[in-house]
């Protein structure tokens, strides 16, 4: 006997199945027509009657503060990444790393510059 994979159903599907049972059709007939186990449909009906069945309208509402926090977190992550790319940390500048070599070449070339104008 093989074990079947557990089905996942959308809240809209569950609500529609419960509506069919509430409209007068038998639980067994609805379960057969939708391809759902009868016990599962019974659990949905019981949850609906208790008011705990999650439906399409019971999605948690996102407040303006939550939206702003989410936006700020994303912006902070973006700015942090940009900072890390543009300004290497001390760990990145340890001897032998490409960033350290670049910094060393830049400093060496700055001391070897020939100035063509007076800085008075």
């Amino acid at each position: 006997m093989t074990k079947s994979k557990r089905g996942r159903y959308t809240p809209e599907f569950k609500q529609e199945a419960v509506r069919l049972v509430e409209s007068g059709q038998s639980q067994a007939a609805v379960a057969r027509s939708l391809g759902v186990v009868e016990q599962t449909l019974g659990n949905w009906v019981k949850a609906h009657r208790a008011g705990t069945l999650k439906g399409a309208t019971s999605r948690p509402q996102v407040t303006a503060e939550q939206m702003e926090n989410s936006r700020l977190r994303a912006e902070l992550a973006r700015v942090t990444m940009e900072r890390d790319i543009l300004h290497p940390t001390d760990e990145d500048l340890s001897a032998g790393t490409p960033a350290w070599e670049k910094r060393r070449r830049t400093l060496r070339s700055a001391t070897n510059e020939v100035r063509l104008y007076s800085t008075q």
Side-chain angles (χ1 to χ4, degrees):
M1 181 174 184
T2 61
K3 196 171 188 179
S4 63
K5 192 171 183 175
R6 183 176 170 197
R8 301 235 180 232
Y9 304 100
T10 64
E12 293 84 4
F13 181 82
K14 294 175 184 179
Q15 288 286 349
E16 183 62 22
V18 169
R19 189 189 63 76
L20 290 172
V21 172
E22 297 287 326
S23 70
Q25 294 184 27
S26 71
Q27 231 174 302
V30 172
R32 265 194 313 274
S33 68
L34 295 177
V36 177
V37 178
E38 189 175 348
Q39 180 63 45
T40 302
L41 181 59
N43 291 341
W44 296 345
V45 171
K46 188 187 302 182
H48 175 72
R49 290 180 180 151
T52 59
L53 182 66
K54 301 283 187 231
T57 58
S58 66
R59 288 191 179 133
Q61 297 297 320
V62 178
T63 65
E65 288 176 347
Q66 290 171 331
M67 289 175 61
E68 179 71 5
N69 284 341
S70 177
R71 185 188 66 76
L72 290 172
R73 281 191 194 101
E75 184 178 349
L76 177 62
R78 181 184 57 80
V79 169
T80 302
M81 184 175 57
E82 288 175 359
R83 184 208 56 205
D84 291 345
I85 291 171
L86 295 174
H87 303 288
T89 63
D90 290 337
E91 293 171 2
D92 295 335
L93 294 177
S94 60
T97 62
W100 181 81
E101 294 293 334
K102 182 179 178 185
R103 175 76 51 98
R104 190 171 60 90
R105 280 192 305 259
T106 304
L107 292 174
R108 187 183 315 148
S109 66
T111 59
N112 296 334
E113 286 182 356
V114 176
R115 298 190 194 268
L116 300 176
Y117 55 88
S118 176
T119 58
Q120 292 177 348

